[in-house]
């Protein structure tokens, strides 16, 4: 079909790049001051973004994981690999719960949407309970129980190792003490909490440094795109 | 009924998933996989709810000609254009059986020309604001702020030539103070200790909240209607 | 005379104060311009920089290096277009290393936007640099499946319950490299390339820990500090942001010099990074100097 050919041509690619570049410049214009171009791009982003995620959710979840499981024979043109599969009546559960969720839009029966919310909450609570307990608590405590002395070959290396291990063990304990707000932070407890704050500040400083790196990386990507567009355009 | 059934659902689902961890056999491990797909399907309906709400707000704005109503036309138009392109598979070479993002499709074109540059640029704006915040707000007013600043400095200087030349001359016994080595130490010792403490705190919080939700002690998600 | 001196001193201090005040309240658009130039100029002059490998990244490199040829490596694309500058160089560096060692590469995604990025990898790296690698025997594209961490949970016990076909709809039974894959425990290494939820953390929590499977990967710089508690017991190693990707490229080039020209994506992008870091450090120093001067002036008067 003609429509297919048009969108894969170099002209279509060039038009797409120009649209992308102009939208990028419109967003960047906000750095000077708020203006209609930025507002246009911002509002476009909201609409396009919502539709994009809805479309992706429809084709990657709703069709293969709901419609295809309940009505596999109807998937002939859309998902041929599903035709011939057995119907799975269990998938009526998410269909009903999903439709119930939409009752949130009707104030009189909005209370029904709690049933769908309850499933979501129960799922999240049940999954997270065991995994966070194992990976983020038990194993973390286990990993903190490290030998404070272990010969490392040279004296300096051994001193360095011991110092580091003391900082790790002491730092974790003091920082956890800081988070215990049921007891007043005074005396030795308060001093330990203070050390905990210092350790947390070091962690936040490292996070800040990495956050700067992350943001600059994204800016580099955009600047690279704009530069290539500028030098590649036939002015 | 308005509160009892949701509490029972939360209890049953939460308990089934916890039991599935300890009894990884039929039917529990199947429940685990099935529930995760149910969760995602319900999330799709939440997306539909969100999309519907978005349209409601912006169409209302257009109808009543509220402030910036003309931009709402842009939002609604962009929304319907992308939605139609994706749901109807406009321009997809193999028609209905082809991928909705196949090369040549209008959806892919709109993704590459609008969604991708818009999203990437929105995120990259943060770089400018981080720089502005560094200049205006990052002050070594207290001991704690100084520690934060020093740690950030070491991390920021690590990949730079300045970070290398500032300390490369240090003799062998003091090699650990060389910025690249110091950076590795800051990340894997004090940073790791702080992050681990936060992780333990969060884990305990999640465990206690999950238990409270499953046992029906925490009911805030049910709202205040129909008490 | 003394009064005249005093007035002169005050005026001098006021002038100095005005300059300090000006520095302390500089228009933020000037700051934006300086950061913009700090990123743009290195791109124009093509300034690159090599970043020596840190122990964290070296560990992961050594793990892939030490796996026997033919090992099964699962790579999950858990990111979207907004973090391509950080995550994509990781994917390309890993792919080159994996194929260089003769391992088998399984591509999948926990994010719906993941397959687009893995397709870019196939177009730019696999098809171009490794045309001898056969689809279905050396690498396979399984695509995205819904379920987030629940998907990982299911894959841990029954991989083929969720993945019955590859991305194009061909049954997995037709691919030799899918034989013997019953669960995630059949993989020798899992690499999670993430930028949020679900991501590398979920691979550690739901696959690495319960299944005792080696997990590594790469994550955006924002998430990287949060993964340090998992290292080294629960995660073999990971790439933190663009810097981590550049470190991995450095290790790859050191071991395999033939990638000197090709494997430069992250190193090239580190040029602007370095300049921007220096500018931000300068901002912080200048900002603090003006702050301390103003504070001492206020204390005095």
């Amino acid at each position: 079909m003609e429509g297919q050919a048009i969108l894969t041509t170099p002209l279509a690619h060039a038009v797409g790049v120009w649209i992308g570049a102009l939208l990028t410049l419109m967003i960047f214009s906000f750095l000077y001051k708020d203006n209609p171009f930025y507002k246009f791009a911002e509002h476009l982003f909201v609409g396009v973004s919502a539709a994009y995620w809805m479309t992706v959710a429809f084709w990657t979840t709703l069709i293969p994981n709901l419609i295809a499981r309940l009505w596999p024979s109807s998937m002939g043109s859309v998902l041929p690999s599903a035709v011939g599969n057995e119907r799975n009546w269990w998938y009526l559960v998410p269909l009903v719960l999903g439709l119930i969720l939409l009752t949130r839009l009707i104030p009189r029966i909005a209370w029904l949407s709690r049933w769908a919310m309850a499933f979501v909450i129960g799922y999240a609570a049940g999954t997270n309970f065991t995994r966070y307990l194992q990976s983020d608590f038990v194993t973390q405590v286990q990993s903190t129980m490290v030998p404070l002395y272990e010969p490392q070959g040279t004296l300096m290396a051994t001193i360095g190792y011991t110092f580091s291990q003391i900082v790790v063990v002491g730092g974790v304990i003091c920082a956890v003490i800081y988070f215990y707000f049921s007891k007043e932070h005074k005396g030795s407890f308060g001093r330990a909490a203070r050390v905990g704050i210092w350790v947390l500040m070091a962690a936040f400083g490292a996070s800040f440094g990495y956050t700067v790196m992350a943001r600059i990386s994204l800016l580099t990507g955009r600047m690279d795109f704009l530069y290539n567009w500028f030098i590649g355009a036939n002015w | 009924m308005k509160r009892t059934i949701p509490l029972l659902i939360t209890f049953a689902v939460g308990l089934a998933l916890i039991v599935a961890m300890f009894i990884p056999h039929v039917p529990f491990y199947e429940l685990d996989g099935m529930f995760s797909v149910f969760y995602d399907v319900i999330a799709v309906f939440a997306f539909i709810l969100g999309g519907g709400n978005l349209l409601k707000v912006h169409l209302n704005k257009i109808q009543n000609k509220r402030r910036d109503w003309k931009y709402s036309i842009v939002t609604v138009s962009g929304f319907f254009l992308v939605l139609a392109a994706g749901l109807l598979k406009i321009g997809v070479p193999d028609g209905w059986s082809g991928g909705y993002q196949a090369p040549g499709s209008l959806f892919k074109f709109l993704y590459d020309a609008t969604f991708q540059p818009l999203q990437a640029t929105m995120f990259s704006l943060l770089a400018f604001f981080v720089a502005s915040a560094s200049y205006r707000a990052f002050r070594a007013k207290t001991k704690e702020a100084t520690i934060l600043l020093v740690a950030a400095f070491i991390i920021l200087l690590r990949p730079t030539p300045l970070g290398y030349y500032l300390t490369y001359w240090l003799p062998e016994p003091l090699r650990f103070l060389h910025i690249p080595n110091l950076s590795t130490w800051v990340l894997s010792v004090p940073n790791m200790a702080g992050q681990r403490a936060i992780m333990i705190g969060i884990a305990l919080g999640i465990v206690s909240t999950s238990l409270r939700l499953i046992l029906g002690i925490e009911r805030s998600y049910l709202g205040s209607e129909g008490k | 005379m003394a009064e005249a001196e005093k007035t002169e001193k005050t005026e001098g201090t006021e002038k100095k104060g005005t300059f300090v005040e000006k520095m302390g309240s500089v228009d933020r658009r000037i700051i934006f311009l300086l950061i913009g130039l700090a990123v743009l100029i290195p791109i124009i002059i093509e300034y690159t920089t090599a970043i020596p490998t840190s122990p964290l990244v070296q560990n992961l490199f050594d793990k892939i290096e030490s796996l026997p040829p033919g090992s099964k490596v699962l790579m999950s694309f858990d990111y979207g277009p907004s973090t391509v500058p950080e995550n994509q160089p990781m994917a390309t560096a890993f792919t080159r290393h994996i194929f260089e060692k003769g391992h088998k590469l399984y591509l999948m995604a926990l994010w719906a936007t993941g397959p687009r990025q893995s397709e870019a990898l196939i177009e730019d790296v696999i098809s171009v640099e490794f045309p001898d690698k056969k689809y279905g025997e050396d690498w396979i594209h399984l695509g995205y499946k819904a379920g987030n961490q629940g998907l990982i949970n299911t894959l841990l016990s029954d991989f083929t319950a969720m993945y019955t076909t590859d991305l194009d709809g061909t049954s997995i039974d037709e691919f030799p490299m899918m034989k013997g894959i019953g669960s995630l425990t059949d993989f020798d290494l899992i690499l999670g390339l993430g930028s949020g939820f679900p991501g590398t953390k979920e691979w550690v929590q739901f696959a690495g820990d319960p299944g005792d499977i080696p997990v590594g990967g790469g994550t955006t710089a924002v998430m990287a500090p949060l993964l340090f508690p998992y290292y080294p017991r629960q995660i073999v190693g990971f790439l933190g942001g663009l810097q981590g990707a550049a470190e991995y490229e450095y290790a790859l080039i050191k071991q395999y010099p033939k990638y000197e020209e090709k494997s430069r994506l992250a190193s090239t992008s580190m040029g602007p990074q370095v300049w921007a870091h220096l500018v931000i450090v300068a901002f912080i120093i200048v900002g603090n100097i003006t702050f301390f001067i103003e504070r001492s002036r206020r204390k005095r008067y």
Side-chain angles (χ1 to χ4, degrees), chain C residues 89-131:
Chain C
M90 298 173 187
T92 56
F94 280 141
T95 302
R96 288 185 177 116
H97 194 194
I98 287 164
F99 280 151
E100 188 62 42
K101 291 298 298 180
H103 300 325
K104 297 195 186 305
L105 181 62
Y106 299 73
L107 305 172
M108 64 163 281
L110 292 177
W111 282 40
T113 46
R116 276 291 291 129
Q117 322 315 331
S118 48
E119 277 161 18
L121 175 78
I122 295 165
E123 274 168 37
D124 299 337
V125 179
I126 299 179
S127 312
V128 172
E129 295 176 35
F130 302 97

Side-chain angles (χ1 to χ4, degrees), chain A residues 52 56 131 135-136 140 218, chain C residues 82 112-113 201 206 209 230 234:
Chain A
Y52 172 80
V56 167
R131 290 302 163 220
S135 302
D136 285 15
Q140 292 305 315
L218 302 182
Chain C
S82 57
T113 46
K201 185 180 168 87
F206 292 87
D209 274 353
Y230 292 129
Q234 294 158 283

Side-chain angles (χ1 to χ4, degrees), chain B residues 17 21 24 29-30 32-37 39-41 100-101 103 108 111-112 115-117 119-121 123-125 127-136 138-142 146 149 152-153 155-164 180 183-184 187-189 191-199 202, chain C residues 22-28 31-33 35-36 47 49-56 80-82 84 112-113 116-117 119 144-151 153-154 157-158 162 201 210 224-231 243 247 270 273-275 277-278 280-288 290-292 295:
Chain B
L17 288 167
M21 199 210 164
Y29 90 86
E30 279 175 352
D32 199 355
M34 214 159 63
F35 279 1
S36 71
V37 180
Y39 179 86
D40 263 8
V41 170
Y100 65 100
Q101 293 194 94
K108 184 180 182 305
Y111 171 88
D112 290 335
F115 179 73
Q116 196 265 342
Q119 189 185 51
T121 313
F123 275 85
S124 69
L125 273 184
F128 296 100
F129 297 118
V130 156
S132 176
S134 303
Y135 184 76
R136 289 155 171 260
F138 218 158
R139 301 282 181 262
K141 285 183 192 170
T142 60
T146 310
L149 244 175
F153 260 14
I155 302 301
L156 285 169
L157 286 176
R158 196 210 160 214
T160 67
L162 178 66
Y164 178 81
S183 168
T184 306
L187 283 167
S188 34
V189 180
N191 165 67
M192 194 268 283
Q195 297 291 353
R196 182 167 282 167
I198 293 169
M199 198 180 264
I202 290 172
Chain C
K22 273 188 186 160
M23 286 301 290
S25 59
V26 73
D27 192 329
R28 66 182 193 165
I31 298 171
F32 294 161
L33 180 65
I35 268 293
Y47 177 83
T49 181
I51 310 288
T53 316
S54 62
L56 180 71
S82 57
V84 158
T113 46
R116 276 291 291 129
Q117 322 315 331
E119 277 161 18
Y144 160 78
K145 280 273 180 283
N148 297 336
Q149 73 271 33
L151 173 69
N153 234 2
T154 311
S157 39
D158 191 349
M162 296 307 284
K201 185 180 168 87
L226 309 179
L227 291 180
F228 275 92
Y230 292 129
Y231 175 76
Q243 186 177 301
E247 288 175 25
M270 278 304 291
Q273 193 82 242
V274 161
W275 283 43
H277 281 204
L278 289 172
I280 292 201
V281 165
F283 282 160
I284 295 173
I285 291 172
V286 169
N288 275 280
T290 56
F291 167 72
F292 284 115
R295 192 163 77 165

Side-chain angles (χ1 to χ4, degrees), chain C:
Chain C
M1 189 71 172
E3 269 201 32
E5 275 179 12
K6 213 178 177 178
T7 314
E8 209 181 294
K9 216 177 186 175
T10 320
E11 278 174 8
T13 319
E14 274 176 2
K15 276 188 192 153
K16 196 165 134 190
T18 308
F19 172 74
V20 167
E21 276 171 13
K22 273 188 186 160
M23 286 301 290
S25 59
V26 73
D27 192 329
R28 66 182 193 165
R29 289 174 291 192
I30 305 217
I31 298 171
F32 294 161
L33 180 65
L34 288 171
I35 268 293
L37 288 172
V39 170
L40 188 60
I41 292 173
I43 290 172
I44 295 170
I45 65 175
E46 292 181 25
Y47 177 83
T48 61
T49 181
I51 310 288
T53 316
S54 62
L56 180 71
V57 173
Q58 189 66 45
N59 241 28
L60 183 55
F61 183 89
D62 292 341
K63 176 67 184 174
I64 295 176
E65 191 68 14
S66 66
L67 288 173
S71 295
K72 301 182 184 82
V73 180
L74 178 69
M75 192 148 75
S76 184
F77 285 73
D78 310 330
Y79 60 97
S82 57
T83 58
V84 158
E86 288 189 274
N87 290 117
Q88 200 69 10
M90 298 173 187
T92 56
F94 280 141
T95 302
R96 288 185 177 116
H97 194 194
I98 287 164
F99 280 151
E100 188 62 42
K101 291 298 298 180
H103 300 325
K104 297 195 186 305
L105 181 62
Y106 299 73
L107 305 172
M108 64 163 281
L110 292 177
W111 282 40
T113 46
R116 276 291 291 129
Q117 322 315 331
S118 48
E119 277 161 18
L121 175 78
I122 295 165
E123 274 168 37
D124 299 337
V125 179
I126 299 179
S127 312
V128 172
E129 295 176 35
F130 302 97
D132 53 313
K133 296 292 178 187
K134 289 195 177 64
Y135 185 81
E137 287 179 27
D138 300 303
W139 66 279
I140 190 166
H141 195 191
L142 298 166
Y144 160 78
K145 280 273 180 283
N148 297 336
Q149 73 271 33
L151 173 69
I152 304 175
N153 234 2
T154 311
L155 295 177
L156 184 63
S157 39
D158 191 349
F159 196 90
T160 53
M162 296 307 284
Y163 281 108
T164 52
T165 67
D166 74 343
L167 184 69
D168 295 324
T170 312
S171 170
I172 54 163
D173 297 329
E174 299 192 22
F175 300 111
M177 65 190 288
M178 290 305 296
K179 287 182 176 41
I181 301 289
S183 76
L184 282 178
T185 53
D186 295 318
F187 288 96
D188 298 295
L189 179 65
I190 296 173
L191 295 172
L193 302 173
S195 69
F197 173 87
T200 318
K201 185 180 168 87
E202 281 65 39
W203 280 109
V204 170
Q205 286 180 323
F206 292 87
D209 274 353
D212 199 22
I213 309 160
V215 172
T219 184
T220 55
V222 169
M223 307 284 296
L226 309 179
L227 291 180
F228 275 92
Y230 292 129
Y231 175 76
R233 190 190 283 261
Q234 294 158 283
I235 196 168
V236 174
F238 61 92
L239 277 45
L242 193 61
Q243 186 177 301
E247 288 175 25
Y248 201 90
E249 284 179 355
Y250 183 89
L252 186 67
I253 291 166
K254 203 171 161 191
Q255 187 74 14
Y256 305 100
K258 67 180 188 180
Y259 290 115
E260 174 83 41
E261 286 303 314
K262 276 183 262 184
S263 195
R264 283 242 167 254
L265 189 56
S267 310
T268 315
S269 301
M270 278 304 291
Q273 193 82 242
V274 161
W275 283 43
H277 281 204
L278 289 172
V279 167
I280 292 201
V281 165
F283 282 160
I284 295 173
I285 291 172
V286 169
N288 275 280
I289 288 172
T290 56
F291 167 72
F292 284 115
I293 291 174
E294 260 189 89
R295 192 163 77 165
S296 68
R297 201 168 62 83
R298 262 186 265 126
K299 274 187 188 160
R300 236 184 293 144
Y301 296 101

Side-chain angles (χ1 to χ4, degrees), chain A residues 46-210:
Chain A
V46 169
V48 163
S49 192
Y52 172 80
W53 289 112
M54 274 180 70
T55 308
V56 167
F58 180 81
W59 287 115
T60 59
T61 305
L62 210 65
I63 292 293
N65 288 321
L66 186 67
I67 313 292
R69 298 212 200 231
L70 286 172
W71 298 282
S73 52
S74 66
M75 291 286 107
S77 52
V78 170
L79 198 68
S81 57
V83 176
N85 288 350
E86 253 188 67
R87 182 166 295 169
N88 190 334
W89 290 110
W90 281 111
Y91 283 82
L92 275 176
V93 173
L95 175 65
V96 168
L97 287 174
L99 290 171
I100 279 174
L101 190 65
L102 296 177
T103 62
R104 215 162 171 77
L105 294 169
I106 307 161
R108 214 163 41 90
I109 51 169
W111 60 267
L112 271 172
S113 64
R114 290 180 197 171
W115 294 15
M117 285 305 302
F119 178 89
V120 167
I121 297 286
Y123 173 81
T127 317
N128 290 337
F129 176 84
T130 46
R131 290 302 163 220
Y132 275 85
L133 199 55
Q134 182 180 4
S135 302
D136 285 15
F137 182 67
V138 171
T139 316
Q140 292 305 315
V141 170
Q142 201 179 0
S143 301
T144 311
M145 293 177 184
V146 289
L148 293 179
Y149 172 76
E150 223 171 59
Q152 299 294 308
T154 65
L155 177 66
M156 281 303 288
T158 306
I159 292 171
Y161 174 85
T162 301
F163 175 73
S164 299
Q165 298 298 71
I166 290 170
V167 171
V168 166
V169 176
V172 173
I173 292 169
C174 290
V176 170
I177 282 174
Y178 169 73
F179 285 125
Y180 190 73
F181 298 116
S182 303
K183 181 176 159 52
E184 206 179 337
H185 288 182
K186 59 180 185 186
S188 318
F189 195 79
R191 279 190 287 277
R194 194 119 205 109
V195 171
I197 293 174
W198 295 343
V199 171
L200 289 169
M201 287 299 120
F204 294 148
S207 288
F208 173 76
Y210 264 79

